[in-house]
Amino acid sequence: MAGKNRERSRKSQLFAGILVNSVYEMQNYPVVLLNTVLSPLSILLVIVFVSRGSLFGVAIEGGFIMAMFSAGMSLSSDLSHLKNDFKLQDMIVSSPTSWFIYMIGISFSEIVYAIPALVVLTILASFGLTLTFTQILEFVAVLLLIFVASISIGYTLSTFSSDIVQSFAFTRLISTLFSTIPPVYYPITYIPLPFRYLAYLSPTTYAAELVQGIGGYLSLSSTQVIIDWTVLIAVTITLFMLAKTKARWREV
């Protein structure tokens, strides 16, 4: 009985995070959904027009990566707002809810925000991508790793932020550095070799290489595929462990 009560309590805590951070805003301020749709699609359209349609499939894959990464990074400003303006984190700390349940609950709400963009991208993907069931699973696995990495960054930053304006600045900066500048919407082969190595400083480059290889837009050796998976998984685990050990869950 106690185990069932704990499980019911965890589900209630997760559902509360979704209600507080997404459902309420989506019902009362529908305009917030426009940003989640326009951000990945705007760059997609530019790339498609400039490439005259040749990079349509690659741009769609990039749109998925940006949508998931941006959704995770939104955690920073949302949690900062709840922590600093509503003192919600102080209340959560004094309750039985753990930092992990709190982070996951709000993370689910960011996925809810991203649903409109993901739906549009999925419709476009049905025209621009041809993937087998196994390739779809690999594609989803890459997106989940990127999302976990980004929510780890967002959560950690939010616990150190003293103002939502500061969080917005960090969110925009990191999103630009990780999902706009790196070769996410186009193959890395478009970057001249002397500068190509700089792109590998971003974890999204490894994710982009994997999905572009899955989609058949980039030819990767088995060694490169293994390296990409290894780096992406290692970076995700490292960022999550930093969130677990270094985030300021309780004020000092």
Side-chain angles (χ1 to χ4, degrees):
M1 180 62 71
K4 290 183 178 180
N5 288 336
R6 283 195 296 269
E7 183 66 23
R8 188 180 299 111
S9 176
R10 291 192 187 97
K11 290 180 179 178
S12 298
Q13 292 161 7
L14 291 173
F15 187 61
I18 296 174
L19 285 176
V20 169
N21 196 52
S22 62
V23 175
Y24 171 78
E25 288 193 22
M26 291 168 68
Q27 286 181 337
N28 292 276
Y29 310 105
V31 69
V32 300
L33 296 176
L34 289 178
N35 183 60
T36 63
V37 176
L38 293 178
S39 293
L41 293 183
S42 57
I43 303 178
L44 185 156
L45 290 175
V46 171
I47 294 296
V48 170
F49 287 145
V50 171
S51 68
R52 297 185 179 181
S54 63
L55 294 179
F56 180 59
V58 177
I60 291 173
E61 294 174 333
F64 274 107
I65 292 176
M66 183 177 182
M68 296 301 287
F69 189 86
S70 297
M73 282 307 304
S74 296
L75 203 69
S76 175
S77 53
D78 289 342
L79 288 184
S80 176
H81 174 54
L82 295 173
K83 176 175 75 80
N84 296 310
D85 298 335
F86 294 102
K87 305 301 179 183
L88 180 63
Q89 185 170 312
D90 293 338
M91 292 186 284
I92 298 296
V93 167
S94 60
S95 74
T97 304
S98 67
W99 72 273
F100 180 73
I101 294 295
Y102 178 58
M103 182 182 76
I104 294 300
I106 303 298
S107 298
F108 282 158
S109 73
E110 304 298 350
I111 289 292
V112 174
Y113 267 127
I115 285 177
L118 295 176
V119 169
V120 174
L121 288 168
T122 301
I123 294 173
L124 293 176
S126 66
F127 296 99
L129 297 175
T130 303
L131 303 177
T132 65
F133 180 72
T134 300
Q135 290 173 326
I136 291 174
L137 292 180
E138 293 174 348
F139 187 66
V140 171
V142 172
L143 295 181
L144 288 177
L145 286 172
I146 280 296
F147 183 65
V148 173
S150 61
I151 64 174
S152 299
I153 298 172
Y155 167 74
T156 303
L157 289 176
S158 73
T159 63
F160 287 94
S161 172
S162 58
D163 191 277
I164 190 174
V165 175
Q166 181 187 39
S167 293
F168 272 130
F170 277 117
T171 298
R172 287 193 292 265
L173 175 62
I174 294 175
S175 294
T176 300
L177 291 176
F178 281 9
S179 61
T180 304
I181 295 178
V184 172
Y185 283 87
Y186 56 91
I188 193 171
T189 52
Y190 278 54
I191 302 177
L193 265 178
F195 306 101
R196 192 176 300 177
Y197 300 107
L198 295 175
Y200 286 107
L201 296 176
S202 170
T204 51
T205 297
Y206 301 91
E209 278 196 342
L210 287 170
V211 298
Q212 289 167 14
I214 292 170
Y217 298 103
L218 192 64
S219 179
L220 300 175
S221 66
S222 56
T223 300
Q224 187 60 51
V225 171
I226 293 173
I227 291 174
D228 286 346
W229 276 112
T230 301
V231 172
L232 186 57
I233 293 172
V235 168
T236 301
I237 293 175
T238 300
L239 290 173
F240 181 80
M241 293 308 297
L242 286 175
K244 180 181 179 180
T245 58
K246 300 301 182 181
R248 188 181 296 171
W249 176 237
R250 289 179 172 83
E251 294 294 335
V252 295

